[in-house]
Amino acid sequence: LELSTQHIFRHFTECWWDHIILDIFLANSVGIFLGMSIINYFGIKKYDWLGRNGKSSWKDWEIFKCHRRFGGTVFTVFGCVFSNFFTGFFSFAALWVPPAPNYIPIVRTVLWFPVGYLAFRETYEDIKSWGTKQRKITPIEGRYRWMAFGLIYMEALVFWKFRKGSAVRVDEPTPLYITVPWILTILGLIGS
């Protein structure tokens, strides 16, 4: 994501080794390991978004058997996770919130955690129970999901309003070496 947006947000323009070594191997891998350790320690439910538990081949995964599960998973990952990632960086830059030692990003993350967890749980249960008898017995209201969507898009609108004169250059054209791989990825997802 950072490579795809470094023409917009100069803060993401880094050396190749910074993207590979620091971001992927140190920051993200350590974060994933700690997150999974916390989940295992507290016994938090793991969600199988792809429906691959107990399946031997990727062709048997549940995500490919139901348009609702496929669309819901793709929308949740691309629409919500990416939006939350970008609004976190872009809105702080547009509002001229300085980096460390500022606690606003930390407070935002702490406030987003319970809302995001509840919204993801509702979305997962909605996708998993679609078209079943269980769905009719216990319908899913989706209040946390809609609240999370509303917060994400409110942050995006705040960023869009205050983008002029900030460090974010949204109005610059996207280079072809970024556009073409994204188009091919989206077409591959639609065609599969």
Side-chain angles (χ1 to χ4, degrees), residues 7 13 20 25 39 61 64 66 70 79 87 89 96 98 105 111-112 126 154 158 164 170 173 176 182 187 191:
H7 68 286
T13 306
I20 303 293
F25 291 123
I39 285 172
W61 291 359
F64 299 119
C66 175
F70 182 80
T87 57
F89 284 109
W96 293 96
L111 291 174
W112 257 109
D126 185 24
M154 183 205 61
V158 167
K164 300 288 185 190
V170 176
L176 282 177
W182 276 108
L187 290 175

Side-chain angles (χ1 to χ4, degrees), residues 107-153:
V107 170
R108 178 187 178 270
T109 303
V110 168
L111 291 174
W112 257 109
F113 178 74
V115 174
Y117 177 76
L118 293 170
F120 269 82
R121 187 193 71 199
E122 280 181 353
T123 305
Y124 179 78
E125 294 299 329
D126 185 24
I127 293 169
K128 186 177 177 185
S129 67
W130 180 257
T132 63
K133 292 180 182 179
Q134 180 66 28
R135 173 68 171 257
K136 293 177 183 175
I137 295 171
T138 54
I140 298 169
E141 295 178 13
R143 68 181 88 155
Y144 296 108
R145 180 178 24 182
W146 291 113
M147 183 173 67
F149 292 157
L151 288 172
I152 288 172
Y153 295 112

Side-chain angles (χ1 to χ4, degrees), residues 161-178:
K161 178 176 178 157
F162 294 105
R163 75 188 187 282
K164 300 288 185 190
S166 68
V168 183
R169 296 173 178 89
V170 176
D171 301 323
E172 285 190 18
T174 305
L176 282 177
Y177 67 87
I178 295 172

Side-chain angles (χ1 to χ4, degrees), residues 28-46 113:
N28 293 344
S29 298
V30 170
I32 291 170
F33 174 76
L34 288 174
M36 292 305 292
S37 298
I38 291 169
I39 285 172
N40 290 331
Y41 180 77
F42 288 112
I44 298 172
K45 180 180 178 180
K46 295 178 188 174
F113 178 74

Side-chain angles (χ1 to χ4, degrees), residues 45-58 60-63 65 69 124 128:
K45 180 180 178 180
K46 295 178 188 174
Y47 297 109
D48 182 20
W49 287 89
L50 302 176
R52 61 183 180 178
N53 285 345
K55 309 291 191 295
S56 59
S57 172
W58 65 271
D60 297 330
W61 291 359
E62 297 294 325
I63 191 171
K65 294 182 178 178
R69 187 168 195 152
Y124 179 78
K128 186 177 177 185

